[in-house]
Amino acid sequence: MAAWDLSVTVVDLGPDAPPVTLSVTSDLHVGGVILKLVEKTQIKRDWSDHALWWEQKQKWLLRTAWTLEKYEIHADARLLFIPQHKPLRLGLPNGITLRLLASFSSPVFQTVMGICRMLNIRHPEELSLLRPVEEKKKKKDKDSAEEIYDLTEVPLSSASRPCLYNGMPAHFADSPQMEAIYKMLSITQPPPAPEVIAKQYRPASVVDKAHINGRWLDSSRCLMQQGIQENDRVWLRFKYFAFYDIEPKYDVVRLAQLYEQARWAILLEDIDCTEEEMMLFGALQYHISKVSQSEPQLMSTSAAMDDLDSALQSLEVKLEGEKLAMVDLLSTNQQLSNVTVCFRPKRLTLKGYKQYWFKFQDTSISYFKSKEESIGEPIQQINLKGCEVAPDVNVTASKFLIRLLIPAPEGMNEVYLRCENEQQYAQWMAGCRLASKGKSLADNSFQSEIQSIRSFLAMQKTNAGSHGNAHAADESINTHSLVSPRYHKKYKAKQLTPRILDAYQNVAQLSLTDAVMRFLQIWQALPDFGLSYVVVRFKGSRKDEVLGIAPNRLIRIDLGVGDVVKTWRYNNMKQWNVNWDIRQVAIEFEGNINIAFSCVTADCKIVHEFIGGYIFMSTRSREKSDTLNEELFHKLTGGHEAL
């Protein structure tokens, strides 16, 4: 076989060094090319992380046993010999920037796994990388270079879980500087100054919110293929809002970063909440900030946490609790019935609430004209399986509404239930939430669901007599750091102070961990939680609309009015696929419902990945929680793009 010349640029030799020319034959494998190359450079060093990058084709030649012929490489190929791991500037949800080594040759999904392993974040499948929003730099800002914490010396490990020492990965326990960085990752940041909040980019509409989702990197392709260069800046963020198995003992960094992402989503009005909820979020932030100054660590991470005894003890307590809950439930009647629940179909009708006798059994609600008629046929039976449940509550005004969106072939039917009091609301809300997941009132989580709803309501109560004490307690509170800019304009700081301190009275007793968990719980209970928006054009439609992608459903939203037009649930989905030639997503649901759309503000691969990713998240189970089925993730999210 004839020999021919192949030139390879060895980046480590410097920018001015000429390419190294090798005499090769087409049946030489890639490993042989690397061997010849290393011999010719005559530099003794560890080359094990280096590999060949084919510039024209934008691909790595990682299969060292493949021949040049199999890769279809000819003399005109521009090859670079470069390291696979390079420094990357990583922006975390809490605003800290780290410089660390990341894999530029693995799919982004694996790169994120490596980063999370280094930072001790469990369940890396929930996070991904995205290109940052470009901030407008003012002239005077140029001098103030941001502080970057360097982790490039941390050795790369392939173990699925980092080896812990004193509750932190061993590489952070090496020096006081490294320990300080780990502390920054695992404790919450103080509330940002109002001017810092005002400077941040705030989405003004659903379309603005949709633009951020066009920035996610493709999980199936590597950083190099997506134009990310050495020392470029990317953001690490939670992408899939299906948080699995949060365990404060082991999730110190994960919890701190999740709290920061949630806090910024609320401060920048990325997610809507009521004024009452905003005051409660403000109070929780104030409390978390106050307690974290006195409690140095977010969670106690003593060596004893891995102790077998404590693990067995907590399991025993858990089982005991579940047993008690079961006994408690078996003694209660597994059916709710009440006359005072009124309901109104649709929000915008002029009709008020009508009073009926309601019966809640299994996963459906039946209603009758009166208690006497409840023995016979109901006026209507509403099956709640697969419905959406949202609270509409104002405790001070004694308003306890439950908003239900019931799936129907043509979209969703909206129904409002009004409860008389807190106790009734907690029971019915808990029942509706369980029924929407296909669980009956006999489920052992019914009582704990009621309890969590009641404790949430308790936080929203204002203590009329506590104003004086609250003022005396703290005059230095900077309220504009705790609420979104809308309230900076609406209220003066002295008007916000009593309201936030009022809400603070209800959370002041919480420990730091409980306060963070409660903040996340309330965030997850917001009606718009977990929605990622993309502007799309449905097949056959002449106007752009918004597609909301949630952990369990897709929502079609009218762009003009902002109303939900239709909702489709993943568990009714038969199949979905992408036509890569015309960049169109097609989905088939049960009942012969087919939809197809093209994407306007993001690539259709991003939508495909969101849907597949959420389906993957729903397959995780406790037995397999330690092993991540990477192959299944790529099968569901990878797509087969047209070559």
Side-chain angles (χ1 to χ4, degrees):
M1 192 172 269
W4 45 278
D5 284 350
L6 177 68
S7 54
V8 181
T9 305
V10 181
V11 174
D12 292 45
L13 297 178
D16 304 326
V20 176
T21 306
L22 305 171
S23 175
V24 298
T25 54
S26 297
D27 63 348
L28 181 66
H29 49 70
V30 169
V33 174
I34 293 174
L35 202 62
K36 279 190 165 198
L37 196 59
V38 170
E39 281 170 3
K40 201 153 184 186
T41 58
Q42 294 183 332
I43 298 173
K44 283 193 162 52
R45 55 163 292 179
D46 181 2
W47 294 98
S48 60
D49 190 46
H50 281 60
L52 292 170
W53 169 255
W54 188 359
E55 215 171 20
Q56 295 108 314
K57 288 281 176 84
Q58 289 285 293
K59 73 185 208 182
W60 288 90
L61 310 181
L62 297 176
R63 295 185 170 162
T64 48
W66 278 27
T67 61
L68 296 175
E69 189 174 24
K70 192 163 185 181
Y71 264 123
E72 295 181 357
I73 288 174
H74 304 293
D76 61 349
R78 280 199 307 277
L79 300 182
L80 300 177
F81 190 51
I82 49 175
Q84 296 177 58
H85 289 84
K86 303 189 210 183
L88 194 65
R89 285 184 303 144
L90 190 75
L92 298 179
N94 66 352
I96 286 174
T97 302
L98 302 173
R99 188 166 173 268
L100 43 72
L101 286 178
S103 170
F104 275 65
S105 61
S106 316
V108 163
F109 186 73
Q110 271 181 23
T111 303
V112 171
M113 281 169 70
I115 291 169
C116 289
R117 201 161 42 233
M118 187 189 287
L119 305 181
N120 194 19
I121 297 174
R122 297 192 315 144
H123 299 293
E125 67 276 11
E126 294 164 2
L127 299 101
S128 194
L129 300 174
L130 75 161
R131 299 172 200 275
V133 175
E134 297 307 322
E135 289 173 8
K136 290 189 182 82
K137 284 257 173 168
K138 291 184 182 149
K139 277 182 187 170
K140 60 180 177 188
D141 282 2
K142 279 184 182 169
D143 311 327
S144 60
E146 61 163 351
E147 193 161 357
I148 296 175
Y149 300 93
D150 201 324
L151 296 179
T152 47
E153 295 306 308
V154 174
L156 299 160
S157 137
S158 56
S160 61
R161 260 197 177 173
C163 175
L164 297 185
Y165 176 81
N166 267 356
M168 66 179 86
H171 50 260
F172 281 110
D174 280 351
S175 67
Q177 292 84 353
M178 292 295 278
E179 211 166 305
I181 294 176
Y182 189 71
K183 205 170 171 187
M184 291 179 84
L185 301 179
S186 52
I187 62 171
T188 55
Q189 298 296 301
E195 50 274 20
V196 173
I197 301 175
K199 234 178 11 182
Q200 300 284 332
Y201 169 75
R202 257 180 24 256
S205 64
V206 177
V207 176
D208 284 353
K209 290 177 189 177
H211 278 286
I212 190 82
N213 290 312
R215 296 175 171 273
W216 288 108
L217 293 181
D218 186 333
S219 294
S220 323
R221 291 158 72 224
C222 69
L223 293 174
M224 285 280 280
Q225 287 172 319
Q226 300 182 65
I228 305 290
Q229 301 295 321
E230 186 172 330
N231 276 320
D232 273 3
R233 187 185 169 89
V234 292
W235 284 351
L236 178 73
R237 293 290 185 272
F238 287 88
K239 176 180 180 179
Y240 299 103
F241 296 95
F243 312 120
Y244 185 73
D245 183 31
I246 290 184
E247 185 59 72
K249 265 185 184 176
Y250 307 114
D251 287 324
V252 189
V253 180
R254 184 182 176 208
L255 261 179
Q257 300 302 329
L258 188 53
Y259 164 74
E260 292 288 345
Q261 189 164 327
R263 186 237 293 255
W264 279 106
I266 284 150
L267 288 179
L268 300 177
E269 293 167 9
D270 210 14
I271 184 167
D272 295 329
C273 65
T274 64
E275 197 165 302
E276 257 196 342
E277 284 161 343
M278 183 61 85
M279 297 308 142
L280 182 50
F281 281 128
L284 279 163
Q285 284 179 76
Y286 173 58
H287 178 57
I288 288 166
S289 166
K290 208 171 168 183
V291 183
S292 62
Q293 284 163 14
S294 56
E295 277 183 43
Q297 198 79 39
L298 179 60
M299 300 357 155
S300 63
T301 51
S302 64
M305 76 176 189
D306 292 320
D307 199 358
L308 184 63
D309 288 346
S310 64
L312 288 170
Q313 209 175 347
S314 71
L315 179 66
E316 201 177 333
V317 171
K318 242 179 200 171
L319 292 172
E320 199 58 42
E322 282 176 15
K323 199 158 74 183
L324 284 172
M326 278 305 289
V327 173
D328 198 19
L329 267 166
L330 294 170
S331 61
T332 58
N333 188 7
Q334 288 159 14
Q335 145 176 332
L336 288 174
S337 55
N338 225 306
V339 68
T340 45
V341 179
C342 314
F343 102 121
R344 170 175 68 164
K346 296 243 184 273
R347 181 171 39 176
L348 300 171
T349 53
L350 295 170
K351 289 176 184 172
Y353 288 90
K354 280 193 171 181
Q355 197 160 302
Y356 293 100
W357 178 265
F358 272 73
K359 219 185 226 176
F360 197 140
Q361 206 162 8
D362 292 331
T363 58
S364 60
I365 293 178
S366 310
Y367 61 97
F368 309 83
K369 274 192 175 169
S370 64
K371 185 179 180 177
E372 291 68 44
E373 292 184 20
S374 66
I375 308 154
E377 283 293 305
I379 299 170
Q380 193 187 347
Q381 187 176 36
I382 304 168
N383 186 6
L384 300 183
K385 200 172 174 183
C387 75
E388 285 169 43
V389 187
D392 187 354
V393 173
N394 185 330
V395 181
T396 31
S398 294
K399 171 187 168 191
F400 300 103
L401 291 184
I402 300 171
R403 175 173 170 250
L404 300 172
L405 285 170
I406 316 290
E410 68 287 348
M412 296 295 256
N413 294 331
E414 195 174 27
V415 169
Y416 278 75
L417 300 181
R418 191 179 74 193
C419 302
E420 285 283 287
N421 53 42
E422 212 177 290
Q423 188 180 352
Q424 189 192 48
Y425 167 79
Q427 288 182 331
W428 280 79
M429 187 65 176
C432 291
R433 277 186 186 165
L434 288 181
S436 72
K437 296 173 192 163
K439 295 176 182 176
S440 73
L441 303 180
D443 192 84
N444 59 0
S445 59
F446 181 52
Q447 292 299 334
S448 60
E449 189 70 57
I450 290 177
Q451 204 46 51
S452 99
I453 292 165
R454 292 192 75 159
S455 63
F456 176 43
L457 293 176
M459 282 189 194
Q460 293 195 7
K461 287 180 185 162
T462 53
N463 306 339
S466 67
H467 283 312
N469 314 341
H471 281 296
D474 203 333
E475 276 292 349
S476 64
I477 175 173
N478 186 351
T479 49
H480 283 172
S481 294
L482 305 169
V483 294
S484 66
R486 184 194 309 182
Y487 298 99
H488 302 184
K489 296 186 186 111
K490 195 172 176 183
Y491 298 110
K492 291 190 174 78
K494 62 182 179 193
Q495 292 172 296
L496 286 170
T497 304
R499 294 187 63 186
I500 288 178
L501 289 177
D502 231 356
Y504 168 66
Q505 298 300 305
N506 297 315
V507 298
Q509 303 312 312
L510 293 175
S511 72
L512 183 51
T513 307
D514 288 346
V516 169
M517 293 296 274
R518 193 51 57 92
F519 188 98
L520 295 174
Q521 205 181 351
I522 299 164
W523 171 55
Q524 290 179 62
L526 296 175
D528 292 344
F529 166 76
L531 281 179
S532 304
Y533 301 101
V534 180
V535 178
V536 298
R537 176 74 62 95
F538 278 91
K539 194 177 177 182
S541 172
R542 288 185 175 177
K543 58 176 186 176
D544 288 349
E545 289 171 82
V546 172
L547 184 74
I549 307 166
N552 57 355
R553 64 199 189 280
L554 295 174
I555 302 164
R556 185 175 183 171
I557 300 165
D558 185 302
L559 200 50
V561 199
D563 283 356
V564 172
V565 180
K566 279 182 186 170
T567 299
W568 303 282
R569 298 185 75 81
Y570 300 148
N571 53 13
N572 293 335
M573 195 189 282
K574 284 171 97 173
Q575 64 168 351
W576 86 99
N577 51 58
V578 180
N579 182 329
W580 298 106
D581 294 326
I582 57 170
R583 317 298 287 178
Q584 188 182 66
V585 182
I587 309 175
E588 186 189 340
F589 294 95
E590 286 168 7
N592 289 332
I593 295 168
N594 293 292
I595 62 168
F597 53 84
S598 54
C599 304
V600 180
T601 54
D603 192 275
C604 59
K605 171 69 166 77
I606 289 174
V607 174
H608 171 58
E609 210 173 282
F610 260 117
I611 296 170
Y614 275 128
I615 290 169
F616 173 77
M617 301 298 147
S618 69
T619 65
R620 297 177 294 178
S621 67
R622 201 161 282 282
E623 305 86 72
K624 303 174 194 159
S625 67
D626 272 355
T627 52
L628 196 54
N629 189 341
E630 214 179 311
E631 196 185 330
L632 179 63
F633 181 86
H634 285 301
K635 206 181 251 182
L636 289 167
T637 61
H640 303 286
E641 294 200 41
L643 294 169

